Amino acid sequence: MPLKERIDSLLEEARKIKLSSLEESEKYRIRILGKKGEMNKLFEDFKQVEPELRKSIGQALNELKTAVQEAIQKAKDDFGKDKGASPAADLDLSRPADSEIGHRHPLSQIREEIYRIFGKIGFDISDGPEIEDDWHLFTALNFPPEHPARDMQDTFFVEKNGNNDVALRTHTSSVQIRTMMSKPLPIRTLCPGRVYRNEAVSARAHCFFHQVEGLYVDKGVSYADLREVLMYFAKEMFGSNTKIRLRPSYFPFTEPSAEMDIACSICGGKGCALCKGTGWVEILGCGMVDPNVLENCGIDSKVYSGFAFGMGVERIANLLYRVNDLRLFSENDVRFLSQF
Ligand code: PHE
């Protein structure tokens, strides 16, 4: 059979062929396109074609090759493993939604519990910036100019226009100043937030942690109010049987000042490493707002008085959950977080 007729008959076959399985398609491919297949024989014979027929026969050969490849591709589409593949093909809308859901960070849980406890007795929440100036951080809070908290050792100063009066806040008492200067009296508010101190990072200390401070300013607020409110808080937070004590202390912005301890939750008061053998662990600092601080904020200290307190959220979480390494709270390891 002349070359042209062989090509035409194979082309007709390729256009009509109905390959009904991948197997059949593979046999067809080998017969036509395989090493010893028809196509190679045709190309072999093509070499003998006279120059004037080469162009038309060459085109016919290419047409045949394309038609055969299309027939094989169609079989692949119809019977292959990607058959009918579309983005929605694997989507089973009837599957139960069993993926794990996220949950609150332990520090957020503690913070929200603190909000709940103080919210019940009328405390709202105030916010303020993490980068503060010297006035809000120290001066308005009655820190003497040479106080060690202003030292480079404790405070991260932030260079701003060549002026080193700007720092990352070391406590959220700065928010108390902002609140007293801007909100109408009486004030009953919590000041939560992240604070920064220049400490070497270890299991027991970090260069940042979280505080919730609080402030109550009104006519006739007394130390008895401070004591009752903070006793109420400690019993709500740690349980009504918790042993609590207030111990005299010192802060520049409160007078008198105190620290509140609870009986160590690890050893129950017998003495262990956590409580350094004393049986007590400190949970917060507090005191009556120094009249100088009220006056610095434009509040008449002869008419108004107040109390303030501040606690570390990590410290409370450690006591409740017995976490022995502070760094775990900021590493966001799911194996740690999913335990709470
Ligand atoms: N600002 C203190 C601190 O960061 C805590 C405190 C707040 C103490 C209010 C007394 C009154 O340690």
Side-chain angles (χ1 to χ4, degrees):
M1 211 198 294
L3 186 56
K4 182 73 169 81
E5 277 167 39
R6 280 161 56 206
I7 295 174
D8 285 346
S9 91
L10 284 171
L11 185 60
E12 211 185 305
E13 179 198 38
R15 284 180 176 153
K16 282 193 189 144
I17 199 162
K18 286 210 165 29
L19 299 166
S20 51
S21 68
L22 283 181
E23 226 171 89
E24 229 180 276
S25 149
E26 182 59 6
K27 274 190 197 148
Y28 175 64
R29 188 190 68 77
I30 292 168
R31 176 162 67 84
I32 311 293
L33 301 177
K35 241 188 185 166
K36 292 180 188 154
E38 297 294 338
M39 208 64 179
N40 276 348
K41 284 186 205 150
L42 293 173
F43 274 109
E44 225 13 74
D45 295 348
F46 180 63
K47 290 177 187 159
Q48 324 298 331
V49 171
E50 308 90 272
E52 56 276 24
L53 289 174
R54 279 191 166 234
K55 198 176 167 200
S56 66
I57 300 214
Q59 271 173 2
L61 267 176
N62 280 334
E63 230 175 293
L64 170 63
K65 198 173 172 191
T66 310
V68 171
Q69 281 168 343
E70 277 173 9
I72 292 168
Q73 185 59 46
K74 186 172 182 306
K76 238 191 216 163
D77 291 347
D78 288 350
F79 312 109
K81 125 158 146 312
D82 295 336
K83 166 184 166 274
S86 75
D90 286 342
L91 197 63
D92 176 1
L93 294 175
S94 62
R95 249 185 87 196
D98 57 359
S99 53
E100 262 186 64
I101 51 168
H103 56 131
R104 312 290 289 158
H105 191 283
L107 295 182
S108 301
Q109 292 182 35
I110 300 275
R111 196 179 51 224
E112 277 158 20
E113 178 65 2
I114 299 171
Y115 293 169
R116 187 192 66 77
I117 295 170
F118 283 102
K120 285 211 295 198
I121 53 172
F123 279 73
D124 63 12
I125 296 165
S126 300
D127 201 10
E130 291 190 17
I131 297 177
E132 268 294 6
D133 54 40
D134 180 272
W135 165 259
H136 291 95
L137 217 41
F138 303 122
T139 304
L141 284 156
N142 208 33
F143 277 78
E146 69 288 356
H147 194 281
R150 293 169 183 254
D151 200 301
M152 290 290 193
Q153 307 270 302
D154 286 305
T155 306
F156 286 114
F157 287 95
V158 176
E159 187 77 34
K160 199 179 169 196
N161 307 329
N163 141 14
N164 90 4
D165 275 355
V166 180
L168 294 180
R169 68 182 175 198
T170 51
H171 53 183
T172 59
S173 300
S174 52
V175 183
Q176 301 190 4
I177 297 296
R178 288 181 178 276
T179 308
M180 283 191 276
M181 293 177 82
S182 63
K183 280 195 189 167
L185 295 165
I187 290 169
R188 227 179 296 163
T189 198
L190 296 177
C191 308
R194 181 174 291 178
V195 301
Y196 302 83
R197 292 185 194 175
N198 193 354
E199 307 225 22
V201 176
S202 71
R204 299 184 133 254
H206 212 302
C207 56
F208 64 81
F209 63 98
H210 299 81
Q211 278 191 327
V212 177
E213 295 212 354
L215 174 71
Y216 178 28
V217 181
D218 201 352
K219 289 177 184 156
V221 176
S222 70
Y223 191 84
D225 295 317
L226 172 151
R227 190 179 178 284
E228 283 311 301
V229 166
L230 294 180
M231 291 284 185
Y232 152 76
F233 163 73
K235 287 191 185 281
E236 286 276 317
M237 194 81 211
F238 297 100
S240 53
N241 294 327
T242 310
K243 278 206 286 179
I244 300 159
R245 72 175 185 188
L246 276 164
R247 169 169 57 72
S249 185
Y250 170 78
F251 299 101
F253 35 90
T254 48
E255 182 59 35
S257 303
E259 280 172 312
M260 181 176 257
D261 297 338
I262 62 166
C264 179
S265 62
I266 305 284
C267 63
K270 287 192 202 77
C272 67
L274 181 83
C275 60
K276 299 193 191 98
T278 64
W280 296 95
V281 280
E282 180 208 319
I283 58 162
L284 55 83
C286 57
M288 300 305 292
V289 181
D290 192 298
N292 288 343
V293 176
L294 295 174
E295 297 290 340
N296 286 340
C297 299
I299 296 171
D300 187 345
S301 63
K302 291 191 189 66
V303 182
Y304 287 95
S305 56
F307 68 75
F309 55 90
M311 63 188 98
V313 183
E314 281 85 347
R315 162 67 62 98
I316 300 203
N318 280 349
L319 292 173
L320 286 176
Y321 301 139
R322 300 177 189 192
V323 177
N324 56 13
D325 190 335
L326 259 184
R327 292 169 290 197
L328 290 165
F329 288 117
S330 50
E331 280 167 359
N332 280 342
D333 186 327
V334 184
R335 289 167 301 179
F336 170 71
L337 296 177
S338 60
Q339 295 174 57
F340 302 96

